[in-house]
Amino acid sequence: MRIDYLRVSVTDRCNLRCIYCNPLGDYGLMQRDEILTFEEIHRIVGLFVECGISKVRLTGGEPLVRRNIVQLVHKLAAITGVEELSLTTNGVFLEQMAGELKAAGLRRVNISVDSLRREGYRLITGFDLLEKVTKGIYKAVEIGLTPVRINTVVLKGINEQDVAALAQLTVEMPIAVRFIEYCPTDKDTSPASDFVPNSRVRRIIEHNFGPLSAAITTDNNGPALYFRIKNSAGAIGFISGRTTVFCHLCNRLRLTSDGKVRPCLYSAHHYDIKELIRNGADDERILALLEKIIAEKHRYTKLNSPAGQFSMRNVGG
Ligand code: SAM
């Protein structure tokens, strides 16, 4: 398996307070000097590319709240060997920033939306910003930050009623709506009992739209399995991290906002690259560690080294 995908969390700050991710908002944020600088991110990504990484996704926290993020996009897109640069966002600032992001070299976006009802959206995120996000989705499609994917986490009794409306988007628009199984991460996020398996989400969709198609092309080793509603323009994806095991297919590494490389989202194991860099390590030394991380990636999975509590906003989802 070629490990060619790196997710980079560029900040642990977020402008939303999603109950399953960042309910306490700015409480417990890292000090500014703990977060990687753009120069450090650029250097680390460049070295990863020498080790075979060709797809890079920026995430957070909310990447669009990091000051001068467009400059970082520009710098990373210019690295020879970065074939695909993408970003995962809550979409609040997307309408205003989509044009400059695209011009800087961003290829496509994933946008997180858990409800298409104004009140439902406010209940989950803490803010009345659904209209802004919706405009961001249309803008991304319009200017070609495509294929656009919507990410939705379904929680019991909170947004199960939104599943059909979200799935309906794929009937009308050439986008993918992906249902991500909730992963409880700590004592402050939604309780584990809010978990809804994707088998149930699928039943809701099929109840409303009829049987889904057989699986269609997948994410190039990504965790999502895609299907279609009959005669639809887009696709429905399921990312079933709780009820299935796809570790053997996983091609991704994660760089946290404070400079640690995690070989697995669900494993506590990590390597501290920032410490190495700030202690003056040369490229050769860092490359040796990155090669080791890639060679050892499949040793660490949720099955053999569980993460325990962790912060999704630091790791980047
Ligand atoms: N702020 C951006 C956003 O909203 O997409 C990027 C960061 S967010 C941590 C990345 C993804 O992780 C989002 O799609 C979000 O829904 C997902 N996520 C966050 N917490 C999660 C959890 N506890 N279980 C499953 N997915 C989660």
Side-chain angles (χ1 to χ4, degrees):
M1 151 97 36
R2 228 182 111 211
I3 308 300
D4 60 359
Y5 177 40
L6 178 69
R7 295 175 67 97
V8 180
S9 174
V10 296
T11 176
D12 60 343
R13 278 175 54 223
C14 187
N15 50 326
L16 297 185
R17 307 282 173 263
C18 296
I19 54 177
Y20 58 85
C21 183
N22 185 35
L24 303 184
D26 289 349
Y27 177 79
L29 283 180
M30 279 181 278
Q31 298 292 318
R32 190 170 290 232
D33 64 355
E34 290 180 65
I35 302 291
L36 292 177
T37 65
F38 283 177
E39 288 66 31
E40 288 168 336
I41 294 174
H42 181 257
R43 181 171 176 208
I44 296 170
V45 171
L47 293 172
F48 261 121
V49 167
E50 289 188 34
C51 300
I53 294 292
S54 57
K55 298 181 202 126
V56 178
R57 172 172 295 275
L58 303 183
T59 174
E62 171 49 40
L64 299 188
V65 303
R66 173 111 189 219
R67 193 189 300 248
N68 298 327
I69 186 69
V70 177
Q71 276 177 21
L72 180 67
V73 168
H74 192 76
K75 276 163 81 83
L76 297 182
I79 296 175
T80 306
V82 172
E83 288 164 14
E84 190 177 282
L85 183 62
S86 57
L87 180 137
T88 297
T89 172
N90 58 38
V92 171
F93 298 116
L94 196 52
E95 189 192 20
Q96 69 204 65
M97 294 178 72
E100 48 181 345
L101 286 165
K102 173 127 190 183
L106 191 74
R107 283 279 199 85
R108 56 193 185 83
V109 285
N110 288 1
I111 306 166
S112 302
V113 187
D114 303 308
S115 175
L116 294 176
R117 290 172 298 119
R118 187 172 168 189
E119 188 48 29
Y121 186 88
R122 196 196 59 74
L123 183 78
I124 293 170
T125 65
F127 293 91
D128 186 10
L129 289 168
L130 178 61
E131 198 183 335
K132 249 183 139 214
V133 174
T134 313
K135 286 183 179 161
I137 296 173
Y138 282 107
K139 185 72 178 188
V141 173
E142 179 196 318
I143 71 165
L145 283 172
T146 49
V148 168
R149 294 169 176 165
I150 305 294
N151 287 340
T152 299
V153 175
V154 179
L155 298 173
K156 194 180 288 173
I158 293 177
N159 63 339
E160 286 165 291
Q161 58 183 304
D162 293 288
V163 167
L166 284 154
Q168 174 72 31
L169 288 179
T170 72
V171 174
E172 298 148 12
M173 294 168 74
I175 61 177
V177 174
R178 309 180 327 155
F179 295 95
I180 304 176
E181 283 182 343
Y182 173 48
C183 166
T185 51
D186 64 52
K187 63 180 179 14
D188 299 312
T189 50
S190 306
S193 55
D194 282 357
F195 168 70
V196 177
N198 267 339
S199 54
R200 172 157 169 72
V201 174
R202 181 172 181 151
R203 273 201 304 280
I204 297 173
I205 295 171
E206 295 197 317
H207 176 77
N208 283 272
F209 299 95
L212 293 177
S213 69
I216 54 174
T217 43
T218 60
D219 251 356
N220 253 347
N221 294 325
L225 270 180
Y226 289 98
F227 303 84
R228 256 187 226 294
I229 293 172
K230 198 167 177 198
N231 298 326
S232 63
I236 302 282
F238 295 108
I239 302 181
S240 309
R242 296 288 301 292
T243 56
T244 62
V245 174
F246 40 71
C247 305
H248 57 296
L249 295 173
C250 180
N251 64 342
R252 55 194 58 193
L253 293 168
R254 291 173 166 84
L255 177 63
T256 66
S257 54
D258 61 339
K260 306 203 165 77
V261 176
R262 287 176 79 119
C264 167
L265 174 62
Y266 304 108
S267 160
H269 192 79
H270 66 260
Y271 306 80
D272 195 339
I273 301 287
K274 182 182 73 183
E275 192 186 22
L276 205 59
I277 286 190
R278 293 194 182 170
N279 284 332
D282 61 12
D283 284 357
E284 219 167 289
R285 180 125 177 260
I286 300 167
L287 275 171
L289 177 61
L290 300 187
E291 274 160 14
K292 175 176 144 77
I293 294 172
I294 289 173
E296 290 181 349
K297 154 143 174 105
H298 282 110
R299 271 200 207 168
Y300 303 101
T301 68
K302 65 175 174 177
L303 301 178
N304 61 19
S305 51
Q309 295 205 355
F310 70 100
S311 153
M312 203 60 101
R313 69 180 187 191
N314 179 33
V315 179

